[in-house]
Amino acid sequence: QVQLVESGGGLVQAGGSLKLSCAASGRTFTRNVMGWFRQAPGKEREFVAANNWLTGSAYADSVKGRFTISRDNAKNMLYLEMNSLKPEDTAVYYCAAISGSVYSTEPENYDYWGQGTQVTVSS
């Protein structure tokens, strides 16, 4: 069975950095889109970043220039490096993957989800 497991969340001061990791098991996603989403209390889940082998990486405007998505296909891992963190980045961060060949930044098009990891940025 496919599993995505996030790690690396925590509490950090504004301006600080964190690196999230997502370990995939059960299948490989070498040619599939993988992405990061986040959900703050009382808000809808929102797109953060996505990556695939053909189109490269895409970012939400709110994180562009501060966050970097990367992947290690040999290890079946996805990463999100977050710099210059702001209190508004506070949320549960989810790793997700699409099973087919479609490219999307919409959460409803993602088939596999991790359990999430909490990121809290204090001011």
Side-chain angles (χ1 to χ4, degrees):
Q1 103 221 32
V2 175
Q3 277 194 312
L4 301 177
V5 179
E6 304 95 336
S7 60
L11 173 64
V12 64
Q13 286 191 327
S17 300
L18 280 175
K19 186 174 183 178
L20 305 183
S21 299
C22 172
S25 61
R27 63 162 285 178
T28 58
F29 294 97
T30 305
R31 290 178 177 266
N32 301 87
V33 176
M34 295 190 75
W36 290 95
F37 293 79
R38 66 187 182 187
Q39 188 166 19
K43 295 189 176 181
E44 292 188 352
R45 192 167 297 190
E46 65 174 3
F47 168 74
V48 176
N51 172 273
N52 87 336
W53 68 281
L54 187 60
T55 59
S57 300
Y59 298 91
D61 287 343
S62 59
V63 307
K64 207 170 288 185
R66 300 187 298 122
F67 290 11
T68 303
I69 187 172
S70 62
R71 59 200 297 175
D72 185 336
N73 288 325
K75 296 181 179 179
N76 221 12
M77 295 287 295
L78 182 73
Y79 304 99
L80 184 69
E81 187 160 1
M82 306 184 294
N83 299 313
S84 303
L85 282 161
K86 305 175 181 179
E88 51 264 43
D89 294 319
T90 295
V92 177
Y93 283 71
Y94 297 90
C95 169
I98 297 178
S99 62
S101 58
V102 65
Y103 183 88
S104 175
T105 60
E106 298 297 328
E108 57 265 27
N109 290 325
Y110 284 70
D111 303 291
Y112 304 108
W113 291 86
Q115 82 289 348
T117 185
Q118 176 71 48
V119 171
T120 303
V121 184
S122 63
S123 56

